[in-house]
Amino acid sequence: MEFMSDMLGGGDSGRPSLFEIVAQHKMGELLEPALQHVTSVYAHRYPRYLVRLLNWHEEAYAALMLLVERHYLRNYGASFTEHFYGMKRVRTRRIGGNDGMTPGDMWRSLVFLVGLPLIKSRLDQRYERASG
């Protein structure tokens, strides 16, 4: 029973539980399809304005997420989904007692939060076109 209480967050209140980490990850994966669906519904209603946005959805989503994630990393020290679940990023090596994020840490986090998923989706598209 002690194992389940540790998984539910009963052990250390400063650390997120396994379920919070999984939920945060899944929420991040579901943001893009949800936004794409909303954009496609409104593009059918207002095609003159939103068809271009729908055609360039991945780039528009990446630009939007770059702004959102940068804001959350700068102001809260966590990504959008991490902040939603009450998590915060801290440095593992504390130099000079400061456990906050440096600007270099923020930009590296942005590359992993926004840049790499965009590159992955581009590579997946090319693979789909080449294979089938």
Side-chain angles (χ1 to χ4, degrees):
M1 243 353 161
E2 185 176 319
F3 172 72
M4 286 302 288
S5 66
D6 286 343
M7 285 181 62
L8 295 174
D12 186 8
S13 63
R15 290 185 160 185
S17 70
L18 175 66
F19 300 113
E20 289 173 331
I21 292 172
V22 170
Q24 177 264 328
H25 182 69
K26 290 294 182 187
M27 181 181 169
E29 289 177 353
L30 294 175
L31 282 175
E32 183 177 6
L35 190 62
Q36 185 174 10
H37 177 72
V38 169
T39 305
S40 67
V41 167
Y42 280 107
H44 288 301
R45 288 185 134 178
Y46 308 105
R48 181 177 182 187
Y49 305 109
L50 296 176
V51 166
R52 287 189 195 119
L53 180 67
L54 190 60
N55 290 339
W56 293 91
H57 171 75
E58 291 177 357
E59 290 81 6
Y61 177 77
L64 176 69
M65 289 310 293
L66 181 70
L67 295 173
V68 169
E69 296 291 5
R70 184 171 172 255
H71 169 76
Y72 274 87
L73 284 170
R74 181 181 281 173
N75 293 333
Y76 302 109
S79 70
F80 171 71
T81 55
E82 290 167 349
H83 179 70
F84 184 81
Y85 284 100
M87 296 181 222
K88 187 175 180 180
R89 292 177 180 225
V90 293
R91 293 180 62 97
T92 54
R93 287 188 240 152
R94 295 185 179 141
I95 301 170
N98 185 9
D99 61 349
M101 292 181 65
T102 64
D105 293 337
M106 184 182 73
W107 287 107
R108 280 188 289 276
S109 293
L110 284 172
V111 166
F112 281 99
L113 290 169
V114 179
L116 290 180
L118 179 64
I119 292 170
K120 182 188 177 297
S121 70
R122 287 286 180 208
L123 291 174
D124 287 343
Q125 282 180 355
R126 287 194 180 192
Y127 176 75
E128 289 294 324
R129 268 190 260 140
S131 66

